[in-house]
Amino acid sequence: MLDIGSFYLASLAILDLFWSGITQIWKGWSQMKMAKNLTVLNLTGYYYLQKTPNLSAHANLERLVLIECRNLVKIDKSIGQLKCLVSLDVRYCLELSRLPGELGELEALKELLLDSTPIKNIPEIQGMKNLRIISAHRCNEIAQLPLSIGGLASLEYLYLSGYLSLERLPDSIGKLKSLIEFDISRSGIKELPHSLQTIEKPEAIRGEFNCC
């Protein structure tokens, strides 16, 4: 069993528990509250994780990696307090069906990576003023996108391929003036909203549109 009791946690910046075998009741979680300068937390492949711990003590956290946490069912709402978070990666979390609404409060967030995770919702995201990338390939359970997506003035890359339940896009998507690449290939989209014709740089949008 991993013991971090002897570590000087106050100076810890990166904690990589990639494919570790520690359990949900690991005592180290309580000790981790001392890691005030933590910037990267990598829990890739953490099989036993069902809910993320309270992360409010890690105000400086910039990257939270939860790739292939196959039993993860809940992200603690304390994630809304991570005002420095720039990247959230929950790809291939096969039991994660919802994202906390507090996620929409993360103004520093630049990338939201959701590929092959069966989430049913993307919360209202108007607070994510610096979001540049939403990658949601094969998130087949999502039936609609939030209207607030049109307020993401910095969004450059939007990947929605394989959204088999998604049949239409909100009209507000035409407000994405910074969009460079947009992919809805192999999705259920039947018709593109009229507002897409108002995008200032339509020639810069790269993507496959199998919507007919």
Side-chain angles (χ1 to χ4, degrees):
M1 181 67 69
L2 180 64
D3 182 7
I4 64 171
S6 59
F7 287 10
Y8 187 55
L9 293 176
S11 61
L12 184 67
I14 299 174
L15 179 60
D16 191 343
L17 297 176
F18 184 90
W19 292 103
S20 70
I22 60 177
T23 66
Q24 187 78 16
I25 59 173
W26 178 49
K27 293 181 180 179
W29 289 127
S30 60
Q31 297 172 321
M32 279 301 301
K33 294 179 181 179
M34 299 170 57
K36 303 294 186 181
N37 293 311
L38 192 68
T39 59
V40 178
L41 178 57
N42 185 0
L43 299 176
T44 294
Y46 185 1
Y47 180 82
Y48 296 100
L49 189 68
Q50 296 180 329
K51 177 186 176 182
T52 60
N54 188 311
L55 299 167
S56 59
H58 309 299
N60 295 310
L61 194 67
E62 297 178 5
R63 303 185 67 88
L64 178 58
V65 185
L66 300 167
I67 301 172
E68 286 197 62
C69 289
R70 293 177 178 256
N71 288 307
L72 181 68
V73 297
K74 185 176 182 179
I75 295 177
D76 191 82
K77 64 181 182 180
S78 61
I79 195 172
Q81 300 179 45
L82 303 181
K83 303 305 182 182
C84 294
L85 196 70
V86 298
S87 176
L88 175 62
D89 193 340
V90 294
R91 290 175 291 173
Y92 308 102
C93 292
L94 303 183
E95 298 296 328
L96 185 64
S97 63
R98 299 193 66 81
L99 296 174
E102 289 78 8
L103 196 65
E105 303 171 9
L106 301 181
E107 293 187 6
L109 198 68
K110 292 184 178 180
E111 58 180 28
L112 180 60
L113 309 178
L114 309 169
D115 300 352
S116 296
T117 294
I119 58 171
K120 300 180 184 297
N121 75 310
I122 293 181
E124 292 297 329
I125 51 183
Q126 64 268 27
M128 298 182 183
K129 300 177 180 179
N130 293 295
L131 195 64
R132 295 181 59 249
I133 301 172
I134 297 178
S135 184
H137 295 297
R138 299 176 300 280
C139 292
N140 299 331
E141 300 296 322
I142 294 181
Q144 62 182 5
L145 300 179
L147 293 176
S148 56
I149 195 170
L152 300 179
S154 299
L155 193 67
E156 297 178 352
Y157 302 94
L158 180 56
Y159 302 120
L160 304 174
S161 67
Y163 261 73
L164 301 182
S165 298
L166 186 65
E167 296 184 357
R168 59 178 55 87
L169 299 168
D171 198 57
S172 62
I173 206 166
K175 298 179 180 180
L176 299 178
K177 306 303 182 182
S178 300
L179 201 59
I180 294 174
E181 188 168 350
F182 182 32
D183 184 359
I184 54 170
S185 60
R186 302 181 304 280
S187 71
I189 299 296
K190 298 177 180 179
E191 183 178 3
L192 295 178
H194 179 74
S195 63
L196 279 177
Q197 299 177 19
T198 67
I199 290 182
E200 294 179 358
K201 299 179 293 183
E203 72 282 355
I205 301 177
R206 299 192 299 267
E208 304 171 34
F209 302 93
N210 300 335
C211 56
C212 300

